[in-house]
Every structure is written in structure tokens, then in C-alpha cells.
Amino acid sequence: IALTAFALLWQSSANAQINAGTQIVNFHIGGALAQNKTAITTWIAQEPKAAVTGVQLDGQYLYSISPVLGIGGALSSSSRTKRYEGLVTGGGGKGTIINRSSTVKAEAIVRCILLPSKKVYPYIIGGVGFGKASVSAKAEPTDDDFWTDTGTQESRKIYDTANISGVSYSFGVGLEGSISRSAVAGLAVRWATITGKTTVNHTINTGSWKFANSENLLLTASIGWRFGK
């Protein structure tokens, strides 16, 4: 089966949309859906709460070493801001929690086009590199509640900012097609992980939290330009 698939792929590359030596610059924008509590976490009734969708931005460069295979690099970032209502004061008073998280990473990428002779062609893409994820949260009492130690309602940090950095990797599938002689557009679904772990201390109550691995499902639309051969 693998040999048959390779033969079909090789044969279809004769009329490929992309030639060896073609270079492509792609820009992706879309959503990043956090898949674990590290990617965005808040403090409600002393429990972490996962996650919301944020904005994902990517820039990719690909050099085609054949009509099927391309190699290159990618830079990407995501950010989220989410408000929750929960218990925030030492005395159990209610408040608003404002949670922010972000990721940034750089990866070497490889892309394999499955049907290169088609005007709209599917592809598989993967990458490995280095990334960093940051999570922070603030809270302020609402209505008639207040901080029990001062009797005030100012905004305070819930825990120290959590920073995770380490090896990142991603993989996914997509569709891409020509919209003009030099322009392409597409859609992609990818899984992205930044590995690492850290422990942060509560700044309101005693204790600490452990964070490990930022994982996100990425759904993006792209537009790009071809140049070279």
C-alpha cells in the first residue's frame, strides 16, 4: 500500500502546482483552543479552571526541494484574556478574575503535499523547535465584598506569573490552493505543544500550583505568496 501511494504521488507530481525550488511565504490567523489547564488557568473556589479560545498568529517560510516536499521555518504566537466570576478574597468574598496567557515559539517545519497536481491540494505538516508559555491572573472584589486584610477593593495578583519554556512541537493537516499565479490560500488544523513545567505560589492564599506542558488545538486560515521557480 505504501509503495502504491508513493507511486501515485510521484506520478501526480509531473503536473504539480509547486515545483522544486519554489519558495512560499504563508501568514496564518485563527483560533487557539487550549487543551489543558496550563494554557490558561484561573482561581475559582481554590481550583484551576481551563481554558478559552484565543487568537493565533503564524508566519511560515517554505522552500520546495521537490513538488511534494518542502522545508522551512515558522514563528507563531497566541494570546488570551478571559474574565470569570468567582471567590477571590481570603474571607470567601466574590470577585472578578482577569486571566491572561500567551505563547510564542519558533520551529523548523517540514510539509508534504499529498496530491501536488490538484489545484487544491491537501498536505501534512510538522515542526519542532523552542517555545515559551506565560500565564498570569488578577482579581478584584465586586459589589459589597472586599479584601479582608485591608477592607479595600483594589486589583491584586492571584499567583505569581507562571513561565514555561522548552522544546515545542506541532503537527497537523491542511488544504491549500492557488487564487492567482503567485498567491495561495488555505485552511489548517494543527496540534501544538510547548513542553516544560514550573511551580508558582499563591499571592492571596497559602500554597502553590504546578504547571506542565502548554497544549493547543490550532484552527487557522492562511494566505501566502509563491516566488522562485
Side-chain angles (χ1 to χ4, degrees):
I1 295 175
L3 289 174
T4 302
F6 180 78
L8 290 172
L9 226 128
W10 182 265
Q11 184 178 13
S12 65
S13 67
N15 299 312
Q17 298 291 316
I18 296 175
N19 300 313
T22 298
Q23 301 174 68
I24 303 175
V25 175
N26 275 324
F27 297 96
H28 289 249
I29 185 169
L33 179 60
Q35 297 298 298
N36 65 354
K37 293 176 181 179
T38 299
I40 184 169
T41 309
T42 192
W43 187 70
I44 298 180
Q46 302 179 6
E47 290 294 334
K49 182 181 177 68
V52 295
T53 302
V55 177
Q56 176 74 23
L57 298 173
D58 296 280
Q60 296 178 353
Y61 168 78
L62 287 160
Y63 178 84
S64 301
I65 59 178
S66 76
V68 172
L69 192 63
I71 58 174
L75 296 173
S76 66
S77 66
S78 66
S79 61
R80 304 172 183 81
T81 299
K82 180 66 176 180
R83 291 176 178 266
Y84 297 95
E85 298 298 323
L87 304 178
V88 300
T89 70
K94 295 181 180 179
T96 299
I97 301 101
I98 303 171
N99 197 299
R100 292 182 173 89
S101 73
S102 63
T103 65
V104 61
K105 59 191 179 76
E107 291 183 340
I109 57 174
V110 177
R111 185 176 78 162
C112 179
I113 296 174
L114 301 180
L115 299 171
S117 63
K118 301 296 183 181
K119 188 172 182 179
V120 177
Y121 42 85
Y123 64 83
I124 301 170
I125 191 167
V128 63
F130 182 83
K132 179 180 179 180
S134 297
V135 187
S136 63
K138 292 184 177 181
E140 58 184 49
T142 55
D143 300 326
D144 296 326
D145 290 308
F146 52 87
W147 299 112
T148 54
D149 57 344
T150 61
T152 57
Q153 291 185 314
E154 75 277 5
S155 176
R156 295 186 183 183
K157 289 196 304 182
I158 296 175
Y159 51 80
D160 295 330
T161 300
N163 292 307
I164 294 172
S165 58
V167 174
S168 69
Y169 58 89
S170 62
F171 60 90
V173 297
L175 286 173
E176 188 175 81
S178 303
I179 56 176
S180 73
R181 185 174 180 178
S182 59
V184 294
L187 298 169
V189 179
R190 291 166 291 157
W191 180 275
T193 296
I194 298 173
T195 62
K197 59 183 179 180
T198 189
T199 300
V200 295
N201 296 319
H202 293 301
T203 55
I204 296 176
N205 287 348
T206 59
S208 61
W209 279 341
K210 293 182 179 180
F211 294 81
N213 293 0
S214 174
E215 300 175 350
N216 294 276
L217 179 66
L218 312 180
L219 307 172
T220 58
S222 65
I223 187 167
W225 289 267
R226 294 188 299 218
F227 54 95
K229 296 181 180 180

